[in-house]
Structures are given as structure tokens and as C-alpha cells.
Amino acid sequence: MSTKSSILAIPTTHFMHIILIFVSLCCTYHVVVVVATHDIQATPRPNREALGIAIGGEPISIGGSPAPEMSGSCPPPLPPPAPCPPPPSLPPPTTPPPPSPSPPPPSNPPPSSPPPPLGESRVLKATRVIQQFIKGIDTDKCGLSTKVKHMKNPNLCVNPKFGCAPLPNTKENGLYSFQFNECKIMGKNITLDNFINKLADVSIFHANTNNYGGKIPVLSGLPYLFELDLSNNKYTGKFPMNVLTATKLTFLDLRFNSFVGPVPPELFDLQVLALFINNNQFEHDLPLNMGSTPAAFLTFANNKFTGPIPRSIGQASNTLLEVLFLGNRFSGCLPYEIGLLKKARVFDVSKNVLTGPIPRSFACLGKMEYLVLEKNEFYGPVPEEVCMLPHLTQLKLCDNYFTQVGPECMKLIRKGVLDVRHNCILGLPDQRSPDDCAFFFKRPKTCGDLDNKMHKYMPCKKTTPYLNAEMLIEGVPQPQPSVTYGALSP
């Protein structure tokens, strides 16, 4: 997948939308304008029930799952504008007024010129900033260096790489949208510094697959910046703290760069709906406040994170839909708090060094579709309650040390939903060797007092009996991958 972009459809009471508003100018003419509206005084916590994301130009949900069910209904359309009142009727004058003397013509009459169009000064100011930036571009695939660069007075409002709309409160036109995805901009010192921070009206800045690097400037002076995509560029160094100064962000995409070190706790205070930081070199433990994020989509895959998954993840039970932790170095046992994610539909912790049994609280993941625990060191029986989750499409447990499956899990194996290859389950084909299993179980294993105590805790209080039956099956059909994790491709 080559093109990466995001489009967030967010209710107008919280975020900047582009809507068509028909304004009737009384008795004279009609004007159609595109208006960017945003209630900057609205509550900072966004409503993510209406979230839609497009990656690669096609509307999808990251993880390939269907969009969550939405509550409520769309607000009614705006009422039509009131008709213009008729002009007042004036009685004819009784006597014609005397003619006014004509003033003498000026010696050098000024040329007549139409008034400047709405918001021209803001658009022109942004245009000058863009032209200065384009001077540093040697080549690109979007025509910036070959077309816009050599235009004396470019009208960027009609260029598909930009977007203009009237601003709230001022009603002046502003350049709000910058679509540089896959432009492959090249040149010396291609950086956001002295560029994006001077675009006072920017709301959407997408720059996937370019050669941006260097410093990301302070973004606190950009009151409308909601979407920032800097993925697949040349950024290095520690987490860019200046990104956190853009407090109105709802979409942040930093994936496929070369950032290193820990991520700051303040990252999880951003009121984002989608947070993609995968495929960098981030390391160390995740901050303990990770669960305070209001994000619906978290993609932390393919970094170097270590330590346990924070227990605070349970705090995101009402918001978190999809979380990708695969390809890291997470260790320890799965906290039972994961079972509190009642709306989650994708949970992937594959390719880590996690251990312990599957907590029975996972039976409370009633919306779960893709539960992926493969290539870790999990062991024990596979809980029958987990195999009875109503929406499971993939339950991938291969390359672990599980020892038992019951009748409900066997049904999923026959359907190709459950994959338990390369475990220690007697009677099933394609399992680990007895020596491998014996060596693993000789090592001491513990999840700590709290995890051991809460292993059988069922927060949703299901009453399904736990079965430990061992079954024999041959010729098990293997499940085919059906989920596309769009964020895992640049």
C-alpha cells in the first residue's frame, strides 16, 4: 500500500468540518461558500462514535474490521434561509427634486477596481509561506516544483493539493488543507520548521512518504490543526515533544520514521481518536497512564517496547476499538483488565515474550473479532468461554505452549477460526515436540501475586462452565488471514 492518508469524519460540535452552507444575500445575488467550522470552546474530549479513517485513499477501519455501531442519529439539516423581504413601497415625490450640481472631474481620476475578495489577505499570506517553502524543493511528484514554483500569483484554492474555506468567527477565507501524501518531495533541508508553524489556518496536514526531517516546530499557534500525518519520512531522534503542543489534534501519525527512546506520558493526554506510532525504534516500558488515552485506534506495533502491558488499559473500556502491540518486546502476563475492553474488536500482541495463561476475563470481550496472541510463551488450557465469543473471526494462538482445548474450541478449529499449531496439546497434529514442551515447563513460571489471584476473575460474571476436555482431530483446516492492518504498511 503506497499512499497513506487519514480523513476523520467528526461531529461539528467538536471538530473542524468542511460543509456546504448556502447563503442567500437578500434581493441581490446568491453565493455558495465552503465553510470550515469548529467550536473551539467545545469540550476537548472528542466523540469517536462517528470516526471513519481512510488509509491509502479507500475508507477502511484500521485492522480491516467493520465500523462500530453508531448510537444516535444524524442532526437534522439546517432550515432553508428565510426569503428576502420585499423592498418597501415609497410614494412618488410630489415634485421632482432639483438636480444636484456635478462636481468637477478630478485631474487624475483613480482607476476603478473591484473590492478584494473575501479573505484574500489570509490566503495570500499563506501562499507566500508556501512559495518560500517550494523554493527549497528540487524535485517532487505533485507538481509543486515544476508548476506552482514558477507561477507569479498561483491560486492555490483551485489546486487539489490545497483547500480553502472561510474561517470561523472571521468568515475570511483561509488555506486549511495540505495534501502532500506521496509527493516524494526532495531538496536540501526539507523541514516543517518555519513552514507549518507559519500556516495559521492549517487544519489538515498530510505528508506521508516524503523526505521531511530535522526539527518539528512548536505548533501551539495553530488553533485549527486537527490532523497531522508525518509518516514514512526521515525523522530521527527522541519523541518530538513539540507535537504535543498541538492540543487540538484528533489524528496523529508518526509511523515509519526512526524515532528512538521512550514515549512521554503526555502523549496519552492528547484528545486524539487515532494514534499511530508503529515502525519506529521506540523503547522502554509504556507509561503507566497509557489507558487514559481517549483514542479508538492505537498502533504501537514493530517498535522495541518492553515490560508489561499497563493495567490502566482497562480505563479505555468505553473508547478503545483496536490496539496493535505486535512485534515488540513486551513481557510478563496479560493483565485481567484487558477483559474490560467491552467495545474492542481487534487486540494483537503477537511476536512478543508475554507469558502466563489467558485470563478468563477475556470471555467478556463481547465485540472481539480478531484476537491474536501467537508467537509468545502463553501456556495452560485455552478457556472455553473465550472460544464462545460471538463475533470471533480469528483466534490465533499458534507458537505458544497451550496444553488443552475443549469442545467449543474444537468447533472453532474445524471452522478455521482457531489456530493452535505449534503448542503442547496432546492428540492434535502439528504440535511442538515433547522435549520442547518438557523443557519449557521445567522453567519456573509466575505472573505475580495479583495476576495469579485475578487469573480466574470474570468481570462480566459469565456462568458458562469451564471445560478441560482433550479432543483428537485430524486434518484441521488452517485459517486464512482476512484482516488488513493498513497502518503496518508505509
Side-chain angles (χ1 to χ4, degrees), residues 397-418:
L397 306 181
C398 61
D399 291 289
N400 283 288
Y401 294 89
F402 290 111
T403 55
Q404 291 178 326
V405 291
E408 295 298 329
C409 294
M410 292 302 302
K411 293 178 183 178
L412 296 189
I413 292 176
R414 295 187 184 99
K415 293 178 180 179
V417 173
L418 172 57

Side-chain angles (χ1 to χ4, degrees), residues 2 22 28 57 104 108 166 170 184 190 207 212 226 257 343 375 380 387 401 457 465 475:
S2 59
F22 296 86
T28 308
N108 293 310
T170 67
K184 297 188 177 179
I190 296 299
Y212 283 99
F226 300 137
N257 282 287
K343 295 184 178 181
K375 297 184 179 179
C387 291
Y401 294 89
Y457 172 60

Side-chain angles (χ1 to χ4, degrees), residues 133 136-138 185-193 211-214:
F133 168 73
I137 298 178
D138 295 332
I185 295 172
M186 301 195 65
K188 293 182 179 179
N189 301 320
I190 296 299
T191 176
L192 291 183
D193 199 17
N211 287 276
Y212 283 99

